[in-house]
Amino acid sequence: MNLQRIHLAYFSATGTTARYMQAISKGIDASQTNTIKLADIKTDTITIPADELIVFGIPVFSGRVPEFARKAIQQIKGNNTPAIITCIYGNRDFDDALLELKDLAQANGFNVVSAAAFVAQHSIFPKVAQGRPHTADLEEAKQFAAESIKSIHTNTTILVKGNYPYRAIKPVPLHPTTTKQCNNCGRCMKQCPVQAINPDNPKKIDKKKCISCMHCISTCPQQAKKLSGLLYWIATTKFTKSFATHRDNYMVYQTS
Ligand SMILES: Cc1cc2nc3c(=O)[nH]c(=O)nc-3n(C[C@H](O)[C@H](O)[C@H](O)COP(=O)(O)O)c2cc1C
């Protein structure tokens, strides 16, 4: 199937969701690929026509779609437009995130043709699923995309893992701190998806606004933002031990 245009609509704090999105786009033969960064959506509404395709990608935060990403996705409308939905998770569990994403997409006029939960290195505890996505994961994502658009059905709802009510939103009590390597360049402040970094002093992070997404750590050219402390050390030890077992990627498709 040759599509005129595909849209990759995603948020990626530490780059793993972005890598899966690129792999997915390689599996689809489209004349044009457009990127929609969920962190850049303000109040404007984006409408995707029925003869195009959208791929949604979100990192799983506490078993859910990150709250600001949910609000951004609500600004994207379809007209029975085919959608591939994906969530990327750090080898613990994706809980209700994929179900929530499916509900959001359907409520906004998308025809969800396939859904996947892909495993990636945990962005808070990097020893969990360290190094993933591997080449084989990315190849699987590419094949998943190709398979997804082989036959698109209308009036068919796919079933994905998840429960109602969705898991309660639990903020992560770990926030980055700033070391003396910080030279106040302001890059982290400009890119923070929830404006939690003080514009006058990028060393200061507002813990009430911070969603612990780890983007500031990942983007800092000086490596001046980091997680530290006893609580982080204890949680790292526990997480690394509890979620060491390899998990396979999860993929479901529409059936006629
Ligand atoms: C605040 C926060 C909460 C997370 N919650 C979960 C979770 O519930 N289950 C899980 O398996 N991974 C969880 N992770 C790990 C991320 O989903 C995973 O590392 C993902 O690959 C990050 O995507 P990114 O690199 O595009 O930012 C969490 C990460 C963060 C920062």
Side-chain angles (χ1 to χ4, degrees), residues 90-92 119-132 134 232-233 235-246:
N91 209 51
R92 184 192 66 75
V119 178
Q121 175 168 310
H122 201 292
S123 48
I124 302 181
F125 309 111
K127 283 187 183 153
V128 177
Q130 197 161 31
R132 289 185 79 182
H134 295 312
Y232 180 53
W233 186 82
T236 299
T237 311
K238 197 175 154 214
F239 245 79
T240 308
K241 215 173 142 195
S242 303
F243 304 110
T245 309
H246 176 96

Side-chain angles (χ1 to χ4, degrees), residues 11-18 58-64 88-95 118-124 167 172 211-214 239:
F11 167 62
S12 185
T14 69
T16 60
T17 306
I58 54 108
V60 174
F61 283 5
S62 305
R64 298 282 304 271
I88 317 302
Y89 73 109
N91 209 51
R92 184 192 66 75
D93 205 324
F94 57 95
D95 298 305
F118 293 113
V119 178
Q121 175 168 310
H122 201 292
S123 48
I124 302 181
R167 201 170 191 257
V172 171
I211 56 168
S212 310
C213 73
M214 307 295 133
F239 245 79

Side-chain angles (χ1 to χ4, degrees), residues 9-10 17 20-21 24 55-59 84-88 98 101 114-118 144:
Y10 66 92
T17 306
Y20 272 113
M21 289 295 108
I24 285 172
V55 185
F56 286 108
I58 54 108
I84 294 175
I85 59 164
T86 63
C87 70
I88 317 302
L98 199 58
L101 188 57
S114 64
F118 293 113
F144 159 74

Side-chain angles (χ1 to χ4, degrees), residues 58-74:
I58 54 108
V60 174
F61 283 5
S62 305
R64 298 282 304 271
V65 174
E67 202 173 346
F68 90 87
R70 176 169 50 77
K71 288 182 184 152
I73 290 167
Q74 282 168 333

